[in-house]
Amino acid sequence: MNSILLYYWANVLKAIMLLLSLLLLLRGHNEPGGGFVGGLVVATAFILHALAQNVSAARRAVPVSPESLIAGGLGVALASGVAGVLDGRPFLTGVWRTIEAPLLGPVTLGTPLLFDVGVYLVVAGVVLKIAFAMLECDHAD
């Protein structure tokens, strides 16, 4: 689309959506559920970028390929499940550890957040892969 308004507002909205997706991902901290919605929001931000400019510009804006996001997300989600096994519990059992952060003091981190990061990456990668393919097909016709 050749719209100066869409071009301008897409950049503004993309920045807001990227921040919102991180907030959605981290909202529960130790509770699952924010990865899927956060992944959808980050993918939507780059789809908006593709609509405002073009698909190749959006592909350049994404730091890694959608396939790499999918593979990395699956690896991170799998690693979160293995952490429970290494702790002597069943696969995908939540494991929490408290670390001493320099300015924050003790912070408790768990594998549910790691699992959500994996879901976030997989959802973003799958949606971007499908959307980019559809937008490129639309321009080929």
Side-chain angles (χ1 to χ4, degrees):
M1 291 186 201
N2 291 328
S3 169
I4 190 75
L5 287 175
L6 180 61
Y7 182 85
Y8 173 75
W9 284 109
N11 285 330
V12 173
L13 287 174
K14 186 176 80 175
I16 293 170
M17 292 172 81
L18 292 176
L19 181 62
L20 178 65
S21 75
L22 288 176
L23 290 174
L24 287 169
L25 173 65
L26 300 174
R27 71 161 175 80
H29 185 55
N30 282 331
E31 298 174 8
F36 188 84
V37 176
L40 287 176
V41 172
V42 74
T44 305
F46 287 106
I47 292 169
L48 183 63
H49 186 98
L51 290 172
Q53 297 183 22
N54 56 45
V55 176
S56 61
R59 283 188 185 274
R60 286 191 303 272
V62 179
V64 296
S65 70
E67 296 85 2
S68 298
L69 286 174
I70 296 168
L74 287 173
V76 170
L78 181 65
S80 73
V82 172
V85 173
L86 294 176
D87 203 39
R89 299 178 185 169
F91 184 71
L92 283 176
T93 300
V95 177
W96 285 267
R97 298 285 185 256
T98 301
I99 61 170
E100 195 68 34
L103 296 175
L104 302 173
V107 175
T108 303
L109 296 174
T111 55
L113 178 62
L114 191 62
F115 183 76
D116 263 352
V117 170
V119 171
Y120 178 89
L121 295 173
V122 169
V123 169
V126 168
V127 172
L128 285 176
K129 176 80 177 159
I130 293 169
F132 286 165
M134 291 175 68
L135 288 170
E136 287 172 337
C137 183
D138 184 40
H139 290 289
D141 291 338

